[in-house]
Amino acid sequence: MKITDELIDKIGDLARLRIKDSEKPRFSEHLAEILDYMEDLNNVKVHNVEPMFHGCVEKKDLRPDIVIPFDAAKIMKNAHKNKDNYFEVPNIINGDDQ
Amino acid sequence: MNSKTENKKGYNAVIGLEIHAQLSTKSKMFCSCSTSFGKKQNTNICPVCSGQPGALPSINSRAVEYAVRAALAFNCKINNKNIFARKNYFYPDLPKGYQISQYEEPLAINGWVEIGFKDGSKKKIGITRLHMEEDAGKNTHNVNESLVDLNRSGIPLIEIVSEPDMRTPEEAVAYFKKLKTVLEYLEVCDCNMEEGNLRCDINVSIRKNEHEKFGTKVEIKNLNSFRFVEKALYYEIERQTKMLENNEKIIQETRLFDSSSGITRSMRKKEEAHDYRYFPEPDLLPLILNESFIQKEKDSMPELPDKKCERFMEKYLLSFYDADVLTSDKDISKYYEDLVSYIKEPKVCSNWMQAEVMRTLNEQRIGIKDFKLDHKKLGDLIRSVISGDINQNTAKEVFNEMITGGASAGEIIDKKGLKQISDLTAIEKIIDEVISESMAQVQQYRDGKTAVMGFLVGLVMKKSKGKANPAVVNELLKKKLT
Amino acid sequence: MDLLKLSIPTLAKMLREKKISSQELVSFYLERIKKHKKLNAYITVLEDAVNKAKDIDMKGIKNDDPVLRGIPYSLKDNMLADGVKTTCASRILENYIAGYDSTIAKRLKDSGAVLLGKTNMDEFAMGSSNENSHFGPVCNPWNEKHVAGGSSGGSAVSVSAGLSQFSYGTDTGGSVRLPASFNGVASLKPTYGRMSRYGIIAFASSLDQIGPIAKNIEDLAIAYDVVSGHDPKDSTTSIKNKDGMYEYLIKEVKDRENNFSRKTVGIPRDMLIGGCSKDVLNSLEQSKKVLTDMGFDFVDIDLPNSKYALAVYYIIVTGEASSNLSRYDGVRYGYRTKDYEELKDLYSLSRGDGFGDEVRRRIILGTFVLSAGYYDAYFSKAAKVRSLIKKDFEKVFEKCDSILMPVSPVTAFKIGERTKDPLEMYLSDIFTVSANLAAVPSLGFPAGRDSRGLPIGMQLIGKHFDEKTLFTTAWMIQKQKPEWFNNIATTVKEKKVIE
C-alpha cells in the first residue's frame, strides 16, 4: 500500500501526534512495509466467523453502587498546570476543535 | 393530530432528538466516585474518571438496572448481549481520550413513546436506540485559558435517540417533556435541567412536502431547557427556509444555540467531522443480560404516565386533557390522588389542582414537594366550599392567605368571620332592612326594571359583609319583591 | 553461602530461622544493583527498601506469615506503586508519580515482599529487544553487547543478573517470555484473565497479562500465586478459583513418585521449519528427550492459522494501543510541550515529542487500522482471524495437553542489529504472539545455551486456565535438568564457571 504524506498528515491529525516533515519518509516507508505484510490476511476466509475482541468472556457480578472517596490531591499533584484546582489548557472557546 | 405542520412558506420540518439523561446513581458509571453535584472542582475524582495511567473501568450495577428500566418504559427491545465501545476523540474534558459508550450492540433498540395534544389526539414517536455511556467533565473559559473540572466525568448517562418522527417544534417539546415525565416516574434521573441532568441535541431538516426525501440535516447541540429547544427549532426552521427560498444550499453541520440572542451558530462543518474510530471496549467484557434479570426489572416498574392517565380518565371521569395534565408530573399525580381520597369530588379537586395549585407552583417556581399546603390542608379548604361555608371567591382569598401565612383554612375563616350566612331568618332580616331603606329601587323593580335586582343584591351582600350566600339572597329577594 | 543460588522457600526458611535478615537480603541486592548499573536494568531504585526491610525484621517473621515476607522483588516500570515514580520508560511520563497502587503492587505489599525498584523496559512495552527505552537499552548480562530482549528486559535482567530475587513483567505478545528466554530464566504468561491489569499501564488491553519471572519453577509458582486471581477492579479477570500452585507442586512431586499420569505434548513442526537456529532446534530436541524419558507422549500438531498470527497481532495491538495512549495528552499529567498557543499544538507537540519513534509508529498504525474506511479490512478482520487462531488451539488441545516449542527462533541478537527495520524486529515475536491472541497460558523455561553461551528458552503452551499442567511439566524438567535453572549471569562470569 502506498503511504502518502497526506495520509500521514491525516492520521497524525486524528491521533494528535506530530510527525515532522523530515520524519515522514521514514514513517511512510515503515508503514508501507508493515501494511504490505498484513496483506497476508486477505488470504483468510472469515465468513460467519465471530470476531474476538476480548481476551476473556465470562458472566460476572457487576460493581455495587457504593461511593468510595479517593484522595484527589494525589491526582492534582501530577497536574502540569493547575489553577484553583482546575486543569488548565489554552482557551478553547474560539478554538477549531470539537 | 397536531394542527398543521408546514410553515408559511410551505416547508415541513423533520426533527429527531438525542436526549442525554444522567442516571441518579450514587456512584459513577465506571468507578466509585460520588456523583453529587456542586462539589469543589476536581474533588469527586479518582484514577479511573481522571484517566490516570493503568486505571480500569468497572460497571455500576445500578446504572445498568436504571438503564434497563428506562428502556422497558420506552417499549424498547433489550439486547441480551451488550457491547461497550470506545468513542475516540481528543478534548480536555475527556480524560481518557475516549468516551466509553455503546455502538454496534447497544442496550436497547426499537422503542416508542406516545405524545398527546390538547385536543386529545396522540402521536407515536419512535425510539431508534437507547444506550449507556459516561458523561464528560466540564470546561469553563477565561480570556486566556480554559479550565477543566472532572467531577462530572464518568457520571452514568443514557442516550435516547429518536426516529426523525417529529414535524413541529411543539411536537419536539412534547416528546422531550414526555421522556422527562417517564424518567421521573421511574426515579432513574433527577431531571434537574439547570444542573444538566437532562440535555438534548436536535437534528432538523426541512423539505417541501411529506413525500420528498429528507433534506440535509443540521445538528444543534446541548440544549438544556424546553424553551430553548422550541426557540432553537423555530429559529433553525426559519433559517433553513430562508436559505432554500434564496436557492442557497444547506450544509450538514453542527450548530450551537445562543440562548441570549436566540439564534444558532455554526460550530463544525461535516468535513471536519470526527472519525471516532469506534471499537469494542476491551477493558469491559460483553455484558450479558439474561431474561430473569430483565423480568425482575419489569416487575419492579411503577405505573407509568400513560397507564396512570388512562386510569385517571376511567376512575375519576376526567377528560384526557385533565388527566394528562395531572399525570405529567409524578408528584402532582400523587398529590391529586391523596386529595381525592381525602375529600372525594375528583372533578372539583382537578379544577383546584390545575387552577390554584399549579398556578402557585409556577409563580413560586417550585415542585409540589415544596408546596406549602399538604393535601389535607388544601382538602379542608375545598371542603368548606363544598359544604357552602364559604363561596368560591372567598376560598381563593383564603387560599392566598394560606400559602403566605401558616394558618389553616378553618382558622382563617373563623378569624376573619368569612363563613357564609345561609340561615334564612338572618338573611330575611337583612333583606327586610334593605327593602325598607330602598323603596325607590323596589318600586322600579316592581315597575318591571328587573335590572335593579343586582343593585339590591349588592346592598344585601354589603350589609352582610359579604357573608350572605348569594344564591340564597337572590332567591329570597325575588320572592319578597313579587 | 551463595545467596543468588537460593530459592524463595529456602530464603523464607532462613528468614524464619533468623539465619539471615530481610535487611541483609535487601542490602545485598541494592549493592548488586549499584554494582551492575551499566546493565541499565532499573529505571528507579528504591533505597528506602532497606527501611522497609528493617521494619519487617523488627516485627519479626512468623511461621504462618506469607512466604514472601521480607523477600525483595522488582516491578516493570509500567506497574503503579503508590508514591513511586512510574515512567513506562517514556519521556511523556518521565516525572509521573503514581497516586495509587496497582492490584499487583497491593497484593505484593500485603504479602510483605519488599520492592527494590522499577525496571527498565521498552517504552510503553512496545518492543522485543528493550532498545526502545527513553532511558537507554538494557544489556544482556550474558553478553553485554547483546540485547536483553523486550519489552520486560529490565525485569528479566534483574533476575538473571542477580539484581532481584524475582520480578514481574507484562506479556502482550511475548514481552515476558522473550526477555526471560534471552536471559536464561523462567517465566509465565498466564491465561488472559488470571492477573489483574488494574494499575498496569495498558498497551493492548485484550492481550496484556502480567507475568512472573524467576530463576526456578518453585519461585515462579510462588510469584504467580501471590498476585493471581479475580480482582473486582479489573472486569476482565476471571472469577475462576486460583490454584495454590506452589502447594500443588510440592504435592505433585509425591504423586509423581506414586502414580504419575502420562501427558501428551504437541510440537507444531510446520511452524518451526526455517528461521530457527540449529542450536534452538537442538535444544527443543533435548527438552523433548527429557520429557520422553519421563513417559510423556509426543504428537505433531498443526496450527494452520498461526502463520497469520503476527499480522493479526500487530493490527490488534496497535489499534488498541492508539486508543490506550490517547490519555497521554499533556493536560492532566505528564510531559507538556512549552511550544503551544492552541490546544491542538498542546496535544500534537506534547505527544509528538513525548513519545519515542516506535510508540509513534504504532499509534499511527493503530489509528489507521481503526479509522473510517479501514476498520473492516484491518481491525475487524484481524479480530475474526484471531477467533480462528483460538479455535486452532482448542482443536489441538483435543489431541494433547500442552505444546512445546521455542520462545524465539534465535537467541539474543546484538544491540542495534534489528533497530533499522521495524518489521524484522516484529518477527522476533513470531512464536510468542499466538498464545496471547488465543488467551492461553504459556510457561517459558531455560533450556541450555547456544554455541556462543547465550541462553535458549523453550515454552510450554497450555489450555485455558490450565497453568497446572505447565507448571507440573516444567517442574519435572527442572528435576531432570537442574543445571538449566538457577543460573545467575554475573555469578557465573565472576566465578569463571562456564557450562
Side-chain angles (χ1 to χ4, degrees):
Chain A
M1 180 166 180
K2 176 107 181 70
I3 307 294
T4 59
D5 280 6
E6 287 71 40
L7 185 64
I8 295 273
D9 284 340
K10 194 193 135 205
I11 303 291
D13 189 50
L14 262 181
R16 298 290 186 277
L17 191 66
R18 179 177 65 170
I19 307 292
K20 291 182 194 144
D21 285 343
S22 61
E23 298 171 322
K24 279 177 196 163
R26 183 160 45 98
F27 268 77
S28 303
E29 184 200 330
H30 290 155
L31 277 184
E33 189 190 7
I34 295 161
L35 289 172
D36 282 346
Y37 179 79
M38 288 169 175
E39 294 287 296
D40 241 17
L41 291 189
N42 293 337
N43 302 325
V44 197
K45 291 198 176 61
V46 290
H47 288 300
N48 299 322
V49 176
E50 277 285 305
M52 179 179 175
F53 290 117
H54 296 89
C56 172
V57 176
E58 238 175 50
K59 168 127 179 61
K60 294 176 35 168
D61 289 341
L62 302 179
R63 176 174 61 82
D65 184 26
I66 296 166
V67 173
I68 304 168
F70 184 83
D71 178 8
K74 286 179 164 186
I75 289 166
M76 298 313 291
K77 220 170 54 188
N78 277 301
H80 196 277
K81 274 200 157 180
N82 162 349
K83 186 171 185 170
D84 303 335
N85 217 48
Y86 284 104
F87 300 103
E88 192 190 316
V89 294
N91 181 293
I92 47 176
I93 193 79
N94 304 313
D96 55 342
D97 216 270
Q98 182 63 6
Chain B
M1 184 54 58
N2 194 21
S3 53
K4 62 174 200 157
T5 56
E6 72 253 28
N7 65 10
K8 276 175 274 171
K9 300 272 187 228
Y11 286 94
N12 257 294
V14 175
I15 305 166
L17 263 53
E18 285 174 24
I19 311 272
H20 288 93
Q22 285 184 346
L23 299 175
S24 51
T25 53
K26 291 187 181 70
S27 65
K28 291 183 178 179
M29 182 75 209
F30 298 116
C31 64
S32 300
C33 285
S34 166
T35 55
S36 65
F37 182 80
K39 289 284 145 59
K40 188 188 169 191
Q41 58 275 14
N42 291 316
T43 49
N44 279 348
I45 60 171
C46 76
V48 179
C49 60
S50 68
Q52 297 296 305
L56 295 173
S58 156
I59 301 171
N60 182 339
S61 56
R62 185 165 294 157
V64 176
E65 286 163 23
Y66 282 7
V68 166
R69 246 174 255 177
L72 289 170
F74 298 131
N75 308 294
C76 293
K77 180 190 170 298
I78 309 242
N79 281 327
N80 294 107
K81 187 180 166 200
N82 268 249
I83 305 280
F84 284 92
R86 291 186 184 177
K87 180 180 181 180
N88 294 284
Y89 65 94
F90 287 89
Y91 209 54
D93 62 9
L94 191 73
K96 298 188 294 297
Y98 56 84
Q99 178 194 33
I100 305 178
S101 179
Q102 295 189 295
Y103 188 56
E104 273 183 348
E105 292 174 74
L107 176 70
I109 52 169
N110 294 342
W112 53 266
V113 291
E114 210 164 48
I115 53 174
F117 304 98
K118 274 201 174 179
D119 62 3
S121 66
K122 291 175 187 174
K123 179 175 177 178
K124 253 188 198 179
I125 307 292
I127 288 174
T128 317
R129 55 185 276 141
L130 184 153
H131 71 244
M132 296 176 272
E133 59 184 29
E134 56 179 339
D135 211 341
K138 220 175 151 94
N139 299 326
T140 48
H141 311 287
N142 291 345
V143 183
N144 293 316
E145 74 275 341
S146 291
L147 302 173
V148 187
D149 171 17
L150 296 178
N151 282 351
R152 198 179 72 178
S153 162
I155 288 184
L157 291 179
I158 46 174
E159 179 175 321
I160 307 162
V161 182
S162 83
E163 291 289 314
D165 284 351
M166 288 150 277
R167 296 291 172 266
T168 64
E170 290 76 17
E171 286 184 10
V173 170
Y175 167 77
F176 192 5
K177 279 188 173 163
K178 186 58 175 276
L179 291 201
K180 177 173 185 265
T181 302
V182 173
L183 293 170
E184 279 171 340
Y185 266 69
L186 295 170
E187 295 181 344
V188 299
C189 174
D190 289 339
C191 295
N192 185 331
M193 294 171 75
E194 274 157 30
E195 289 180 10
N197 293 160
L198 199 61
R199 314 190 291 265
C200 173
D201 299 340
I202 302 173
N203 283 305
V204 55
S205 63
I206 60 169
R207 57 183 171 176
K208 198 80 191 192
N209 77 60
E210 291 269 1
H211 309 293
E212 262 177 43
K213 64 178 173 56
F214 294 167
T216 308
K217 71 175 179 184
V218 166
E219 188 184 24
I220 311 169
K221 277 249 180 228
N222 227 347
L223 296 148
N224 66 347
S225 93
F226 299 131
R227 212 160 44 88
F228 292 167
V229 167
E230 194 170 359
K231 278 178 118 177
L233 273 170
Y234 269 115
Y235 177 85
E236 188 57 26
I237 293 167
E238 187 62 29
R239 187 185 71 88
Q240 291 185 21
T241 303
K242 267 188 202 151
M243 286 184 77
L244 290 191
E245 285 293 295
N246 295 335
N247 287 320
E248 288 174 69
K249 210 174 152 223
I250 292 167
I251 33 175
Q252 189 171 346
E253 61 179 351
T254 301
R255 299 178 71 86
L256 269 184
F257 177 68
D258 178 353
S259 56
S260 54
S261 58
I263 67 169
T264 64
R265 276 203 198 96
S266 181
M267 183 169 127
R268 181 169 74 216
K269 305 262 181 292
K270 178 71 164 93
E271 50 267 33
E272 305 164 9
H274 286 278
D275 176 352
Y276 288 123
R277 288 159 285 137
Y278 282 102
F279 73 101
E281 164 61 288
D283 287 333
L284 294 170
L285 304 182
L287 176 61
I288 309 298
L289 303 174
N290 53 34
E291 285 307 324
S292 67
F293 170 80
I294 296 169
Q295 192 57 45
K296 207 185 98 217
E297 293 307 319
K298 246 181 214 165
D299 296 342
S300 70
M301 295 266 273
E303 184 186 32
L304 292 175
D306 286 350
K307 274 265 161 342
K308 189 171 268 187
C309 179
E310 267 172 43
R311 182 166 63 81
F312 275 23
M313 288 170 71
E314 224 163 83
K315 187 172 172 191
Y316 304 128
L317 302 172
L318 301 178
S319 70
F320 167 73
Y321 178 78
D322 288 347
D324 190 45
V325 170
L326 289 172
T327 54
S328 69
D329 179 308
K330 186 184 170 211
D331 296 328
I332 285 181
S333 73
K334 172 157 193 317
Y335 188 102
Y336 172 76
E337 289 212 273
D338 290 343
L339 189 62
V340 172
S341 75
Y342 185 57
I343 58 165
K344 316 300 172 209
E345 301 288 344
K347 181 65 193 163
V348 177
C349 290
S350 163
N351 291 344
W352 269 91
M353 290 295 297
Q354 290 186 62
E356 302 313 315
V357 176
M358 285 165 89
R359 176 180 55 78
T360 309
L361 298 182
N362 275 335
E363 278 169 11
Q364 300 185 351
R365 296 174 145 270
I366 54 168
I368 192 120
K369 279 189 170 157
D370 300 315
F371 183 50
K372 192 151 187 187
L373 310 181
D374 65 21
H375 73 274
K376 284 187 179 162
K377 281 189 181 151
L378 179 66
D380 289 338
L381 173 63
I382 300 174
R383 198 172 263 162
S384 25
V385 181
I386 296 168
S387 69
D389 279 355
I390 54 173
N391 63 38
Q392 191 69 24
N393 285 337
T394 312
K396 282 179 188 168
E397 273 170 46
V398 176
F399 176 85
N400 287 336
E401 201 153 333
M402 286 169 79
I403 58 172
T404 46
S408 72
E411 284 163 1
I412 295 169
I413 292 167
D414 282 351
K415 199 177 104 201
K416 297 204 153 181
L418 297 175
K419 205 170 211 176
Q420 282 189 138
I421 304 168
S422 301
D423 175 1
L424 289 182
T425 41
I427 294 177
E428 218 173 342
K429 199 173 147 238
I430 299 171
I431 288 176
D432 289 343
E433 280 173 37
V434 167
I435 289 177
S436 62
E437 286 163 12
S438 320
M439 285 313 287
Q441 283 81 5
V442 168
Q443 195 50 53
Q444 281 173 5
Y445 181 84
R446 285 178 176 151
D447 291 345
K449 283 193 177 173
T450 48
V452 82
M453 184 68 164
F455 173 76
L456 293 168
V457 171
L459 287 176
V460 177
M461 293 305 291
K462 201 173 162 196
K463 252 191 152 75
S464 75
K465 298 198 174 84
K467 287 185 289 182
N469 186 328
V472 176
V473 173
N474 245 307
E475 202 179 315
L476 273 181
L477 198 56
K478 240 180 233 170
K479 229 184 251 170
K480 292 251 172 195
L481 293 178
T482 43
Chain C
M1 180 178 61
D2 186 356
L3 278 179
L4 293 175
K5 287 275 178 194
L6 304 179
S7 68
I8 293 171
T10 310
L11 286 172
K13 194 160 169 275
M14 288 167 68
L15 283 164
R16 278 155 185 76
E17 289 166 355
K18 296 209 163 34
K19 285 185 177 150
I20 193 172
S21 69
S22 175
Q23 192 190 339
E24 283 171 291
L25 203 48
V26 168
S27 303
F28 169 76
Y29 277 115
L30 287 175
E31 273 306 306
R32 287 189 57 86
I33 292 170
K34 237 176 250 167
K35 203 168 136 199
H36 297 282
K37 217 171 163 171
K38 69 174 184 190
L39 292 174
N40 207 12
Y42 281 82
I43 290 173
T44 302
V45 180
L46 300 172
E47 301 291 345
D48 187 46
V50 182
N51 296 324
K52 298 244 162 74
K54 254 190 220 166
D55 255 17
I56 289 169
D57 289 331
M58 253 161 54
K59 286 178 189 138
I61 301 174
K62 291 179 265 321
N63 273 334
D64 53 357
D65 277 337
V67 64
L68 284 176
R69 189 163 166 80
I71 296 182
Y73 74 100
S74 63
L75 284 179
K76 188 176 181 176
D77 205 21
N78 60 353
M79 307 178 179
L80 276 66
D82 196 2
V84 177
K85 197 166 76 169
T86 303
T87 70
C88 222
S90 181
R91 182 182 185 195
I92 213 158
L93 286 175
E94 199 169 359
N95 298 307
Y96 180 77
I97 307 292
Y100 70 102
D101 267 329
S102 55
T103 296
I104 179 176
K106 173 81 173 47
R107 286 178 179 173
L108 283 157
K109 208 180 257 179
D110 292 347
S111 80
V114 182
L115 179 61
L116 291 169
K118 309 293 291 296
T119 59
N120 203 346
M121 56 184 281
D122 281 304
E123 183 182 4
F124 282 95
M126 296 178 185
S128 309
S129 64
N130 215 141
E131 290 167 285
N132 293 335
S133 169
H134 178 58
F135 302 96
V138 180
C139 302
N140 192 313
W142 297 99
N143 183 334
E144 288 162 21
K145 290 202 173 66
H146 287 245
V147 300
S151 66
S152 313
S155 288
V157 169
S158 78
V159 178
S160 74
L163 313 179
S164 176
Q165 178 68 29
F166 65 108
S167 186
Y168 295 92
T170 53
D171 193 314
T172 307
S175 277
V176 159
R177 287 162 291 157
L178 190 66
S181 88
F182 282 7
N183 279 278
V185 290
S187 64
L188 176 73
K189 195 294 281 186
T191 308
Y192 187 91
R194 274 289 193 208
M195 300 287 208
S196 170
R197 295 180 295 112
Y198 190 78
I200 308 307
I201 295 181
F203 164 18
S205 311
S206 80
L207 297 129
D208 293 346
Q209 277 294 288
I210 290 172
I213 299 173
K215 56 195 165 205
N216 59 53
I217 300 302
E218 57 271 34
D219 283 10
L220 193 69
I222 290 167
Y224 167 67
D225 285 340
V226 68
V227 296
S228 60
H230 179 248
D231 176 14
K233 286 182 170 159
D234 176 358
S235 312
T236 65
T237 52
S238 169
I239 47 177
K240 286 197 175 61
N241 286 341
K242 51 185 278 187
D243 353 277
M245 195 61 75
Y246 178 64
E247 291 298 314
Y248 175 78
L249 287 179
I250 300 290
K251 191 169 147 277
E252 182 69 10
V253 184
K254 276 190 185 143
D255 286 356
R256 189 173 66 90
E257 280 153 9
N258 301 332
N259 61 341
F260 163 61
S261 64
R262 289 197 319 175
K263 298 255 185 188
T264 306
V265 181
I267 295 183
R269 289 283 173 201
D270 290 348
M271 257 178 96
L272 307 176
I273 297 169
C276 276
S277 79
K278 227 177 84 195
D279 289 342
V280 169
L281 287 175
N282 284 341
S283 164
L284 173 68
E285 291 312 315
Q286 268 193 58
S287 294
K288 183 184 169 190
K289 185 172 182 303
V290 172
L291 289 168
T292 310
D293 290 349
M294 285 188 291
F296 282 79
D297 287 331
F298 275 81
V299 288
D300 282 353
I301 52 157
D302 187 20
L303 296 161
N305 289 293
S306 281
K307 55 178 170 293
Y308 306 116
L310 209 60
V312 167
Y313 173 78
Y314 275 95
I315 290 171
I316 292 175
V317 295
T318 57
E320 290 186 17
S322 72
S323 173
N324 281 332
L325 268 57
S326 291
R327 65 185 62 193
Y328 310 103
D329 58 7
V331 172
R332 296 163 316 285
Y333 51 79
Y335 174 77
R336 182 186 279 207
T337 178
K338 290 193 171 55
D339 208 15
Y340 67 91
E341 277 175 23
E342 286 180 10
L343 179 67
K344 208 159 191 173
D345 294 338
L346 164 59
Y347 283 148
S348 293
L349 302 191
S350 298
R351 289 164 59 76
D353 299 345
F355 291 130
D357 262 18
E358 181 59 25
V359 174
R360 286 193 297 155
R361 183 154 42 237
R362 295 199 193 187
I363 292 174
I364 293 288
L365 187 57
T367 304
F368 174 79
V369 300
L370 289 177
S371 65
Y374 297 102
Y375 178 87
D376 288 335
Y378 288 93
F379 196 77
S380 175
K381 177 81 183 259
K384 286 175 183 169
V385 182
R386 184 180 178 187
S387 272
L388 297 177
I389 291 168
K390 186 177 174 226
K391 283 200 185 94
D392 281 355
F393 276 94
E394 282 162 4
K395 217 172 134 201
V396 158
F397 285 130
E398 288 167 7
K399 286 207 297 187
C400 60
D401 305 291
S402 65
I403 298 167
L404 176 69
M405 63 189 285
V407 171
S408 160
V410 294
T411 52
F413 42 89
K414 281 204 173 111
I415 290 176
E417 195 180 304
R418 294 190 177 189
T419 43
K420 278 180 200 70
D421 183 355
L423 186 60
E424 198 194 344
M425 186 67 90
Y426 293 178
L427 290 167
S428 314
D429 299 335
I430 191 119
F431 291 161
T432 47
V433 295
S434 294
N436 300 78
L437 290 171
V440 294
S442 168
L443 187 150
F445 64 90
R449 310 292 166 82
D450 71 1
S451 51
R452 297 170 300 176
L454 288 167
I456 299 170
M458 292 293 137
Q459 61 178 329
L460 286 158
I461 302 173
K463 300 172 188 172
H464 278 112
F465 298 102
D466 186 20
E467 280 83 357
K468 266 184 188 171
T469 296
L470 306 186
F471 269 101
T472 313
T473 312
W475 177 255
M476 291 181 181
I477 293 170
Q478 184 178 278
K479 292 270 162 197
Q480 297 303 308
K481 284 280 186 186
E483 67 273 24
W484 285 355
F485 295 84
N486 290 309
N487 291 314
I488 301 304
T490 43
T491 354
V492 177
K493 211 163 150 195
E494 280 155 20
K495 291 182 181 171
K496 301 259 180 277
V497 178
I498 308 284
E499 197 185 18

